[in-house]
Amino acid sequence: MLKIDKINVYYGAIHAIKGISLEVNQGQIVTLIGANGAGKSTILRTISGLLKPKDGSIHFEGKSIAGIPAQNIVKLGVSQVPEGRRVFADMTVLENLELGAYVRSDKKGIQEDMETVFQRFPRLKERVAQLAGTLSGGEQQMLAMGRALMSRPRLLLLDEPSMGLAPLLVKEIFSIIKDINATGTTILLVEQNANMALSIANQAYVLETGRITLAGSAKELAASEEVRKAYLGG
């Protein structure tokens, strides 16, 4: 579904991503794990069109998307839940969700997806008229995920969904991610909580200073002594 081949990405003079290649197959949950500053978020931002690779290729469902404007990538079926949630604080829950569907014009489908989001996140329905900036961190994460789902993506990019959340909420969010995947959405997950990420993923990549140092099934990486020492607290 997604194939990245030897991309290099720079922030000015800083070489952030160094010749990375990776693949995401349809129906999978693939996770990128690594320390802060390893380049995980940069990869997602490059896929979603917010950054442009200097060279290399990115193909989504066989179509080259490197350098395409971000809104066109959303139209193709790729949606991102950004790190730090980035909800529109001065807009209501409903308005945030409606904005998630801005590339669509099928009113009936939008209404159906809105109902699905409310079934998945009942707390959002209770707070539908509330300003997004007044929600708790966990509720904002749910809203950011709901907003991304409103574009009806086939590939969902999740950037640090557990960041800053209480352990109980982290479990809830990861349970929802599994549910979203089970209903047919492919997921590329960037996550510092390596234990949780590897527990739900099919495939995994370890990123260190802009390079992939390990790749394999999530089970293999969870069992790897190297990964356990570096990321799993053992």
Side-chain angles (χ1 to χ4, degrees), residues 7-60:
I7 60 165
N8 286 281
V9 183
Y10 288 79
Y11 287 109
I14 297 164
H15 195 178
I17 298 297
K18 301 162 184 168
I20 275 180
S21 299
L22 63 87
E23 289 184 7
V24 178
N25 292 325
Q26 188 163 352
Q28 286 189 327
I29 297 177
V30 176
T31 188
L32 302 176
I33 60 172
N36 256 342
K40 304 186 302 295
S41 296
T42 302
I43 290 177
L44 294 194
R45 289 169 65 80
T46 307
I47 295 165
S48 60
L50 298 169
L51 293 170
K52 194 175 175 181
K54 188 166 188 282
D55 49 37
S57 64
I58 304 172
H59 285 84
F60 174 65

Side-chain angles (χ1 to χ4, degrees), residues 88-93 95-96 127-135:
F88 298 102
D90 296 331
M91 297 171 78
T92 65
V93 166
E95 287 166 340
N96 269 268
R127 291 158 173 69
V128 72
Q130 199 169 316
L131 291 180
T134 65
L135 300 176

Side-chain angles (χ1 to χ4, degrees), residues 116-171:
T116 303
V117 166
F118 288 145
Q119 282 166 16
R120 197 166 261 146
F121 304 105
R123 266 178 276 182
L124 296 184
K125 188 164 191 176
E126 292 165 16
R127 291 158 173 69
V128 72
Q130 199 169 316
L131 291 180
T134 65
L135 300 176
S136 71
E139 289 160 356
Q140 287 190 14
Q141 185 61 52
M142 291 172 190
L143 179 56
M145 288 167 71
R147 180 181 61 190
L149 290 171
M150 286 302 294
S151 68
R152 202 175 272 187
R154 293 189 297 287
L155 174 64
L156 184 63
L157 310 175
L158 285 169
D159 197 352
E160 302 284 7
S162 79
M163 187 185 271
L165 300 185
L168 214 60
L169 261 176
V170 171
K171 276 189 175 169

Side-chain angles (χ1 to χ4, degrees), residues 20 26 40 42 49 83 111 129 138 141 144 153 180 190 199 206 212 215 233:
I20 275 180
Q26 188 163 352
K40 304 186 302 295
T42 302
E83 182 182 355
Q111 200 47 52
Q141 185 61 52
I180 291 167
V190 156
S199 75
V206 175
I212 287 168

